[in-house]
Amino acid sequence: MNKPIRTIAIFCLLLFLGLMLNATYLQYYRAGDLNEDPRNRRVLAEAFSSERGAILVGRTPVAESVPSDDQYDFQRKYPQPFKYAHLTGWFSYFSQTQLELTQNSVLSGDDSRLFVTRLVDLFSNSSAKGGSVQLTIDPAAQSAAYDGLRALGEGVEGSVVAIEPSSGRILAMVSLPTYDPNELASHDFGAVAERAEQLEARDDEPLLNRAIQTRLPPGSTYKIVTAAAAIESGNYDASSQVPGGATYQLPETSGESGLIDNEGRDCGSTRIPFTQAMGNSCNTTFARLAIEVGADAMLEQAEKFGFNSDYLEDLPNQAESNFPVDMNPPETGQSGIGQFEVAATPLQMAMVSAGIANGGTVMKPYMVEAVLTPELDVLPRTEPEELSEAVSAQTASDLTELMTYTVSSGTASPAAIPNVEVAGKTGTAQSGQDDVPPYAWFTSFAPADDPDVAVAVMIQSAPGTERGEIAGGALGGPIAKAVMEAVIDR
Amino acid sequence: MTQTGSIMGFVHRRRRGAELFLLVLALAVGIGAYAAVGLGVEGTVPAGIIGYGSWLAGLVIVAHVVVRFTAPYADPVLLPAVAALNGLGLAVIYRLDLVRDATFSSQQLTWMTLGVVLFVVTLIVVRDHRVLQRFTYTLGLAAILLLLLPLVPGLGATINGARIWIRLAGFSFQPGEVAKVLLVIAFAGYLVLHRDALALAGRRVLFVDLPRGRDLGPILAMWLVSLGILVFQRDLGSSLLFFGLFLVMLYVATERPGWLVVGGTMFFGGAFIAYQLFGHVRDRVDIWLNPFAHYGEGTDDRAFQPVEAMFGLAWGGLLGRGFGNGSPDRVPYAESDFIVASIGEELGLTGVIAVVLVYGLLVERALRAALVCRDGFGKLMAVGLAGVLALQVFVVIGGVTRLIPLTGLTTPFLSYGGSSLIANWVIVALLLRISDQARRPVPTLSGEDDSDSESTQVVKAVPR
């Protein structure tokens, strides 16, 4: 019987060899694929448990990982939750948003730029730690914007964006209402789910980053773009006389719906100085100018400032600001004063000001200044990038003149700063619905001769303010002023 | 039958000292793993480590002492290999207990204690394995009855789709685990008697000696029993185990590969028919072939267990996450059928290969006992017991690592489960008994009569 026993022994050897080869295949050759499967919760749990890098504003973290003594090793914390919620987003077991999402590869340490660090971790057998992200945000500007918006009272819905015109660096971005990302990053998953459900169910949409995700009619602030198109057409400059008048009947229309007026502001009878038209925000002037340059030139000018495209890579879900195509003359007239289907995000209106402030060149906005290794060594910084040449330097200078007049002697005077020349424009846009109050806009930059900062303020709803008092200048002007001061005083 | 070493003048050494040394190493594995689990999961050595370690050491020492006195020539590697596996299994079960707030490990320790008691009883009661041959048919009948027991209404219980359990006074037990030991003994007794008839008659077809039709009776009966287990108890693993076991023993008894051809054909034929007829068999194959189609949201999620096990194994990689740093508890039944996935996740490929190697050592040592054993019954029994271990290990680990379709069986000594652990400790006792008999020096009965036998002449009768 020994021969078959030997055969059986060899057979068993082969069986066990098969087991070992198969285990090797599974745990070595296929392991990479299996570990990359998005359904693999182990990998998620590992990521959730690991020490992620910080998101820094100045030298202060606005998102960081701190050791945790529950089943996960680290807990994500947001030390200034409400002020930075819409920038950091949150990092939870179920979802990642905003910078936590777009900068995930750096924060988790998987980024190729952190390769050396990973290698060192591997050899020193220390657990991997993610890199940090340095933001362009100026904490003073961010605080001014946040405090300014909040000062409008309980239940305010609005947003402030500030940009450095020469580079496109985003200096402040605030959206209200806000939320506490700490609650959504908790390790208590039941509480997280409940809280997320509550936040999503709310009518005032606190999870929405209004600075980039909410498009509203920009109203009179859009007149800057119309003025740009008019000056670029070659027919006007800052000292030109432009068509004025108390009322203007849009072409191809008759009756009340096609009649444009100036709500009591002085816009002369026939022709008025361009500065007066801008300073008094004359609807009749800008509707005429829009029709004069035509729908195509208006569209081209809007798109040069960034309408109908997205350009912000550091935050997800940017809404494209809209300027309509194929308009007839009355629609063109309406769009010239920021109505009809024109819709802009606060970021877009900040870029209009920033483009003019930067001599006509619109810089691509960005929020990530630099990526830092876990040891806080700075890897190459983000290089400013040109987005487009919106207007010529001369046009920019003319527009600056019109906007500084608007601050010094016109509707934008609440943004005036002593000893600093400020350029600005107000806007109050009809919502189009009777029960919804108008939207207040303000956009500006300062100092006018050598701009450090461009700001856009949008107030979607301010329940604490009487409907009649809602106006871009009154509500937005002081906030824009505070933000500009914060940057200039730096 | 080839004769063994001792006839040629070779005398095996007892090697009990070597066994003791290996046992200390095995204890280091078991107690070390237990301490590592505490360190990994809770950051401190478990509070009860001294009591636990003493208990484990006590069991192992008792087993060793009993072997020393009752089976002094037994193979010195078998017991340490088993002790290492059992100790590692306890530690892994304890690790799973810690995250799930369960008490499987303390129950398993109780079962292990009972297993060692039965091990001792077996070694003391069965002083010569050949006496078991007398009970061939009794044990065979008992095995069949035990297999049928779960089908008795009121007594049997269906757990996870398989009707292989009996519930009695709050205890559940798998009679099949005991039946497999009895079946090995019964097969060995039957085959050693009928091997000549099964081996010699038959005709040669294409290089293979095929058995006679009328000798196909036993294999046909075993085939039907296996199919019955598959159909009525829905237990793929046991069905495969019993039939494979019988086939191996038949082949060894008759030395005719033809039986393997016949049996293999019957196995694949039966498997094919079962695949066609029974949904639960088709399910298993389908899940085996396309596990990811049955995993995750939007699917029926029937492959959750095998896919989670694969994720775990991949996550473990070469060196493993370390005790406490994986999530082996994500795999359902991680403490029993899927314990190898837990080992693979936390101890890595290294751990899995180490475990497979220890099993390999165990099986090859058992086959070595079969090789040197002097009587046919003992040889067959040792082969059968080795086969039980080898097939179980292959079917379970192969199923968990997706080499073959998943069938429900326990990993010997590692998995949580009382019936299995007790039966496997008895198997080790029987193997030690056979190897003791095999390695023991032959008693010199006829020393002085040698001259007589030389002078006696055998005269062949020449037919006219």
Side-chain angles (χ1 to χ4, degrees), chain A residues 274-289:
Chain A
F274 211 159
T275 45
Q276 185 191 344
M278 189 65 107
N280 287 353
S281 197
C282 295
N283 291 337
T284 49
T285 304
F286 288 94
R288 273 173 197 262
L289 286 178

Side-chain angles (χ1 to χ4, degrees), chain A residues 109-122:
Chain A
D110 292 334
D111 196 275
S112 56
R113 285 171 283 180
L114 300 172
F115 177 74
V116 176
T117 307
R118 275 211 307 281
L119 214 60
V120 171
D121 283 340
L122 186 69

Side-chain angles (χ1 to χ4, degrees), chain B residues 32-46 98 323-325:
Chain B
Y34 190 79
V37 164
L39 281 172
V41 180
E42 293 177 325
T44 56
V45 173
L98 283 182
F323 276 127
N325 295 324

